[in-house]
Amino acid sequence: MFDSILIANRGEIACRIAATARRMGIRTVAVYSQADAQARHVQACDEAVFIGGPEPKDSYLRADVILQAALRTGAQAIHPGYGFLSENADFAHACADAGLVFIGPPAQAIAAMGSKSAAKALMDKAHVPLVPGYYGDTQDTGFLQDQACQIGYPVLIKASAGGGGKGMRIVESNDAFPAALASCQREAASSFGNPLVLVERYLQKPRHIEIQIFADTQGQCVYLFERDCSVQRRFQKVIEEAPAPGMTPERRAAMGEAAVAAAQAVGYVGAGTVEFIVEPDGRFYFMEMNTRLQVEHPVTEAITGQDLVEWQLRVAAGQPLPLTQDQLQIQGHAIEARVYAENPDKDFLPSIGHLDVLQWPEHVAFEPGPVRVDGGVREGGTITPYYDPMIAKLIVHGRDREDARQRMLHALAAVRATGLHTNIAFLGRLMANPAFVSADLDTGLIPREHDRLFPTPSATPDRVLALGAAAILCANGLSSANPGSGPSPRSSSVGGQQASPWQQVDGWRVGGTYQRDLVLQDPLGEHTLHVQRQGDQWLLAINGQPAQPFAWQADPRQPQRLHIRLGSDPAQGDVQECSGDAYLQGLRLDLYTQGQRHTLQWQDPIALATGQADDAAGGLTAPMPGKILSVSVAPGDAVTQGQPLVVMEAMKMEHTIEAPHDGIVQEVFYAVGDQVTEGVTLIALEAGD
């Protein structure tokens, strides 16, 4: 076994590999970019080496620098994780040339399966069913458009060297084909350094099921059952589960044997995943083979009880597979949810910034358990525009699918994440969605269930508004409604001494009456709350309704937890406070109560009085940091609502920014190639008549 390995990756997968290596007594070396100097994976390893700038091409994709770091630190092997150089045959060759073990398949296997086109040609020769399509090297627009017509619309354009949903577009008509092709080729070149694409028939209501395989140097190969990865957004997986709902033993065996045959056809060694697309009648077609460990490998670990990273290390060291096919068994059901920094309500746009608060339910990390969290970002950490916006993977394991689903619902309800947008509430709605509950799964589930998954915002309940009022009062020093309660646990004490009556901040007034108006805003508008103290009695009136008795108490052990009573109704919740969104003044309150999250904005009159007017009014602003790829208008042009105006690239994905209303372009502030920050005005747009 190795004494020392270098982990050529970042984030949660680097932490995951380090955890198993530490348990096995193997020394680890991390590499990090300028953006990751304080990252969690740097602290998780025994040594860390700086390798360059924040862009992947300047750091994590620099094979020469990574090899030098491995040799300089005495590492015997390199684990590539997933993404970056993990499926780069040249890098695997370079490791061997440098006398280092590449913890992955042989370079020739990576090369054989690295191109989706070449892999499908290989599978065609092996009589593995393929989706009808064009998988050749000719990339002329007219030729590919003719192929699409022959295949029949809708078609799917897909980056040949790609993965992770990048470089993929569904095209519904011949007219839309050229623009979609150009966009795919740009995204493929940017993400994978290869603009080659393939075109295939887009199947209606398919499921995405993949088989985990493992092979050793002694010629043994096994499959560790399947994962259902059908629930996707923007062609990227959101929920993965194992085993696949409704899978019969016969179909499992057929798909498993096909996956093993595919691996053996290229002399495969190590961990790999053979992905299939499955039609409603059970027919399955080969999609691609990922020659690496997958993001969703924890669900396989959960149902098999095996550590797949340990398997990788043992196989790379020349040892045989730990188990035979007959020894592998399925135990229960596991579900993984990918927690992203993104805004589901804005087409899942990435969210950049600091995680002011990040708290998880009771869990284990990087090993099987009822609730597991594999994360690469800590509380106070930053999500940057340079890498995938995943915060962590939340994995649960239960007796059966329903037990696992309920466990995931409870786990999601206990997560606290503030400071930027996340998909946590969306994941909770997904887990409770009737189609998911009944396992009516396909890759179009999210758009098909859009109205349920993106419900129209409803009025904020009075108990939540009352919690918000209590949080503001606590932030101002009133820890409870009790007379003489003193400073809140959230606020500082007066010199550490017992305060005099004149120093108490409990709303006491000489005249006996304290009153204050608070304005709280939710997605539907503003709510006016009138707080009043008369003697020892507090009253709260909401939106002009009759005042009700109001009491609250902050938990001294958990200051963010508030217990309130409005009238005769008790309630409790956790309240996290942050400075709010960039374009809002005052305090943002994230309230967690009864398994739901509510966000309110306190319209602080002092902050509003001193705040600056939004100089982006009437313009088109950047929704995230990124690079300008194209601008389709010029000053003087008339535009209509919904017309594409600017294409930006962020986190290796293209995002089209459309006109918010009809109007005339007054000025274009940025050109192609410019880097922009979130919130800057891209185009000055005057509303039309």
Side-chain angles (χ1 to χ4, degrees):
M1 182 49 64
F2 310 113
D3 296 320
S4 177
I5 65 171
L6 181 141
I7 303 171
N9 217 296
R10 65 176 301 279
E12 56 87 17
I13 186 56
C15 296
R16 164 73 188 90
I17 296 163
T20 288
R22 185 183 309 109
R23 182 174 57 77
M24 297 176 67
I26 300 171
R27 175 177 168 272
T28 55
V29 179
V31 292
Y32 66 93
S33 70
Q34 186 178 6
D36 279 341
Q38 304 301 318
R40 185 176 179 181
H41 78 276
V42 174
Q43 309 301 320
C45 293
D46 299 297
E47 185 176 351
V49 179
F50 174 70
I51 55 170
E55 291 278 359
K57 65 181 176 60
D58 298 325
S59 50
Y60 298 107
L61 291 175
R62 294 189 63 185
D64 57 337
V65 175
I66 290 172
L67 289 170
Q68 291 170 14
L71 295 170
R72 190 168 65 250
T73 57
Q76 300 160 302
I78 293 180
H79 197 309
Y82 43 69
F84 298 135
L85 296 171
S86 63
E87 294 179 279
N88 187 306
D90 291 338
F91 182 61
H93 269 305
C95 287
D97 292 343
L100 296 163
V101 175
F102 178 76
I103 303 174
Q108 65 270 20
I110 298 176
M113 290 297 190
S115 166
K116 288 183 174 65
S117 299
K120 292 198 174 187
L122 185 64
M123 292 301 102
D124 190 34
K125 290 181 180 179
H127 306 292
V128 177
L130 298 177
V131 176
Y134 175 74
Y135 307 110
D137 294 334
T138 302
Q139 297 291 290
D140 176 72
T141 299
F143 175 83
L144 290 177
Q145 196 164 8
D146 288 342
Q147 294 296 313
C149 289
Q150 293 178 33
I151 294 166
Y153 289 97
V155 298
L156 181 66
I157 306 175
K158 186 188 302 182
S160 181
K166 299 179 177 67
M168 293 178 65
R169 298 290 187 277
I170 299 171
V171 187
E172 301 282 354
S173 67
N174 200 43
D175 291 342
F177 189 89
L181 174 64
S183 180
C184 281
Q185 290 173 330
R186 283 196 305 268
E187 208 167 83
S190 173
S191 297
F192 314 112
N194 184 346
L196 196 71
V197 301
L198 55 85
V199 183
E200 62 186 22
R201 179 163 65 91
Y202 181 69
L203 301 181
Q204 304 297 318
K205 207 174 181 184
R207 288 173 68 179
H208 182 140
I209 296 178
E210 59 191 31
I211 306 293
Q212 175 73 61
I213 63 97
F214 240 102
D216 62 21
T217 54
Q218 283 79 37
Q220 301 175 85
C221 187
V222 300
Y223 62 92
L224 288 87
F225 313 115
E226 78 281 354
R227 299 182 287 255
D228 194 313
C229 307
S230 300
V231 183
Q232 303 175 6
R233 55 95 175 103
R234 300 182 68 163
F235 301 111
Q236 289 184 308
K237 302 163 187 173
V238 181
I239 300 292
E240 300 102 353
E241 56 182 309
M247 177 66 75
T248 64
E250 294 77 17
R251 189 179 304 158
R252 175 176 294 124
M255 295 180 74
E257 289 165 7
V260 167
Q264 290 175 328
V266 294
Y268 202 82
V269 175
T273 300
V274 181
E275 302 196 353
F276 295 96
I277 194 161
V278 183
E279 294 202 83
D281 62 5
R283 287 179 296 171
F284 60 90
Y285 306 97
F286 174 86
M287 286 177 58
E288 61 182 327
M289 182 174 185
N290 291 301
T291 55
R292 53 173 166 80
L293 196 66
Q294 291 278 89
V295 176
E296 56 272 22
H297 75 273
V299 294
T300 297
E301 293 185 325
I303 66 165
T304 61
Q306 303 301 309
D307 183 330
L308 298 192
V309 174
E310 179 179 343
W311 279 42
Q312 284 188 294
L313 294 170
R314 294 196 181 281
V315 167
Q319 298 180 14
L321 292 176
L323 296 175
T324 65
Q325 190 68 61
D326 291 342
Q327 292 172 312
L328 289 163
Q329 294 183 347
I330 294 176
Q331 305 164 8
H333 197 96
I335 301 175
E336 173 180 296
R338 302 190 189 190
V339 179
Y340 281 105
E342 63 184 14
N343 189 344
D345 295 328
K346 292 188 176 180
D347 197 26
F348 300 95
L349 276 178
S351 184
I352 312 301
H354 293 278
L355 274 165
D356 298 331
V357 174
L358 181 60
Q359 300 170 0
W360 302 100
E362 185 176 347
H363 66 277
V364 298
F366 307 114
E367 62 182 42
V371 179
R372 167 178 172 175
V373 175
D374 283 12
V377 184
R378 295 170 294 194
E379 185 172 275
T382 301
I383 302 296
T384 74
Y386 305 110
Y387 314 115
D388 187 271
M390 185 191 293
I391 298 170
K393 301 179 306 195
L394 180 60
I395 307 105
V396 297
H397 186 212
R399 297 184 307 275
D400 51 33
R401 187 174 189 267
E402 181 58 17
D403 185 42
R405 190 186 70 85
Q406 290 290 344
R407 186 162 286 169
M408 178 62 80
L409 277 169
H410 289 301
L412 287 167
V415 179
R416 304 288 182 261
T418 66
L420 39 69
H421 294 289
T422 74
N423 66 340
I424 294 169
F426 171 78
L427 291 172
R429 295 194 296 271
L430 198 51
M431 282 293 112
N433 180 268
F436 186 84
V437 173
S438 63
D440 180 15
L441 306 176
D442 65 86
T443 56
L445 184 148
I446 290 177
R448 175 163 51 87
E449 294 292 310
H450 182 275
D451 290 348
R452 285 194 180 107
L453 293 172
F454 299 90
T456 302
S458 57
T460 302
D462 285 354
R463 58 179 170 75
V464 176
L465 295 171
L467 275 168
I472 295 170
L473 294 170
C474 284
N476 283 265
L478 289 162
S479 61
S480 79
N482 299 324
S485 59
S488 162
R490 299 165 179 242
S491 61
S492 59
S493 61
V494 183
Q497 304 296 322
Q498 180 65 38
S500 75
W502 300 104
Q503 294 172 316
Q504 291 287 355
V505 285
D506 60 357
W508 180 83
R509 293 293 185 271
V510 173
T513 299
Y514 166 94
Q515 52 187 348
R516 183 177 182 184
D517 287 325
L518 304 173
V519 178
L520 296 175
Q521 187 173 22
D522 67 10
L524 295 182
E526 293 184 349
H527 301 271
T528 301
L529 285 72
H530 181 74
V531 182
Q532 184 177 7
R533 175 178 171 175
Q534 295 179 345
D536 291 344
Q537 175 71 60
W538 286 86
L539 300 172
L540 176 63
I542 300 177
N543 294 328
Q545 300 176 24
Q548 301 182 68
F550 181 42
W552 71 95
Q553 174 70 56
D555 190 325
R557 294 167 299 177
Q558 302 179 74
Q560 78 279 2
R561 179 155 299 168
L562 299 177
H563 301 268
I564 69 165
R565 181 176 293 275
L566 181 62
S568 60
D569 297 327
Q572 73 171 32
D574 292 349
V575 183
Q576 304 288 353
E577 304 161 1
C578 66
S579 57
D581 294 327
Y583 309 113
L584 296 174
Q585 302 291 336
L587 187 72
R588 196 183 80 195
L589 304 172
D590 290 322
L591 303 100
Y592 301 85
T593 178
Q594 295 186 347
Q596 294 184 320
R597 172 181 169 176
H598 303 264
T599 297
L600 298 173
Q601 186 77 20
W602 175 36
Q603 300 299 300
D604 182 357
I606 297 177
L608 288 171
T610 58
Q612 299 297 314
D614 182 2
D615 58 8
L620 193 73
T621 59
M624 75 214 111
K627 181 181 180 180
I628 303 296
L629 294 183
S630 69
V631 179
S632 58
V633 291
D637 287 353
V639 300
T640 58
Q641 183 177 0
Q643 178 180 336
L645 304 184
V646 177
V647 177
M648 289 180 59
E649 180 189 64
M651 297 177 176
K652 300 300 179 185
M653 296 286 284
E654 290 191 7
H655 308 275
T656 300
I657 304 173
E658 302 173 344
H661 51 73
D662 296 351
I664 305 296
V665 175
Q666 299 297 301
E667 190 170 357
V668 178
F669 295 102
Y670 293 93
V672 173
D674 287 348
Q675 292 283 346
V676 299
T677 58
E678 181 179 1
V680 300
T681 304
L682 302 175
I683 293 175
L685 186 63
E686 183 179 81
D689 295 333

